[in-house]
Amino acid sequence: MADRETRPTTVWSRPERGARGPAPERSRTQITAAALALADAEGLAAVSMRALAQRLGTGPASLYRYVGSRDELLDLMADAVAGELDLSGATGGDWLDDLVGLALQSRDAHVRHPWLADLNDRRGEVLGPHAIDYLDHALGILDPAPGTAGQKLEAIGLLGGLAVLFARREAAATSTGDPSTGDPAARTAHLAAVAAEGRHPHLLAALTAAGAPPPADRDALFVRLLRRLLPAMLGQGDS
């Protein structure tokens, strides 16, 4: 009873429709799918109850029978994207391989829905059923990994943060067409030119030691960073 009283109220804590009133014309799933399509086409700012109602061919007031507010609609949208991730794979194999695979899925979801990162920045930590499934699945993957429960939760947070970062960089490179945004070689060449001026000796030494950058491959860089950072966060190899 105490758990019910202290648990925060969310859109998922209420039935999809009241026990009384006319039969529903549509479902939350249909409404959420229409909102996702609107955000993908026009951006997050375009998603309003009025615009969504127009897209569905109904009045805004009718939508409030299913969703209490725009904030609740945004929560449903975020959780629907979490539901796009395939969590059917069995856990218990190589935890690092499995977690990197999950991270790639998360990054791809953010690439498909470039508004998602901004949405999560604004809405805080409201977790829907699909997001909770994702968290539990990730913890299951990490069950055989070293580290404390707290370290594992932090590692999952890092995974999500890197997925967002790489998705944002890819979106920026695509939208601007700026080679310095999308091409590591161009960025390195710029730094090398600056370092060669002689006012940044540490940068010059680092670039000289590093040599030519590898070919631009966002997947490879993303995976390489995860494979370095995740074991370190979990204390693998600590004495």
Side-chain angles (χ1 to χ4, degrees), residues 38-39 45 47 85 89 104 121 193 238:
L38 180 58
V47 179
L85 275 60
L104 286 167
D121 287 346
D238 288 355

Side-chain angles (χ1 to χ4, degrees), residues 82-97:
E84 295 177 4
L85 275 60
D86 181 7
L87 307 181
S88 61
T91 60
D94 184 307
W95 67 265
L96 187 53
D97 283 346

Side-chain angles (χ1 to χ4, degrees), residues 161-193:
L162 280 177
V164 170
L165 174 63
F166 273 71
R168 278 179 162 161
R169 292 183 68 85
E170 185 164 338
T174 301
S175 63
T176 65
D178 181 357
S180 66
T181 302
D183 184 1
R187 292 195 300 272
T188 302
H190 169 69
L191 287 176

Side-chain angles (χ1 to χ4, degrees), residues 102-211:
L102 193 61
L104 286 167
Q105 282 200 68
S106 179
R107 186 211 55 188
D108 290 347
H110 281 84
V111 171
R112 289 193 302 273
H113 307 290
W115 46 267
L116 180 61
D118 290 337
L119 171 57
N120 287 334
D121 287 346
R122 297 177 187 180
R123 60 190 282 275
E125 296 297 326
V126 179
L127 295 183
H130 287 119
I132 293 171
D133 288 345
Y134 165 86
L135 179 58
D136 187 74
H137 183 75
L139 287 169
I141 289 174
L142 285 171
D143 188 55
T148 65
Q151 288 173 323
K152 291 177 180 181
L153 289 169
E154 289 174 352
I156 294 169
L158 172 71
L159 179 155
L162 280 177
V164 170
L165 174 63
F166 273 71
R168 278 179 162 161
R169 292 183 68 85
E170 185 164 338
T174 301
S175 63
T176 65
D178 181 357
S180 66
T181 302
D183 184 1
R187 292 195 300 272
T188 302
H190 169 69
L191 287 176
V194 172
E197 296 172 359
R199 295 183 294 109
H200 304 88
H202 301 294
L203 177 59
L204 178 60
L207 293 174
T208 301

Side-chain angles (χ1 to χ4, degrees), residues 21 57 63 72 75 117-118 133 145 148 236:
L63 296 183
E72 287 191 350
D75 290 342
D118 290 337
D133 288 345
T148 65
Q236 195 170 54

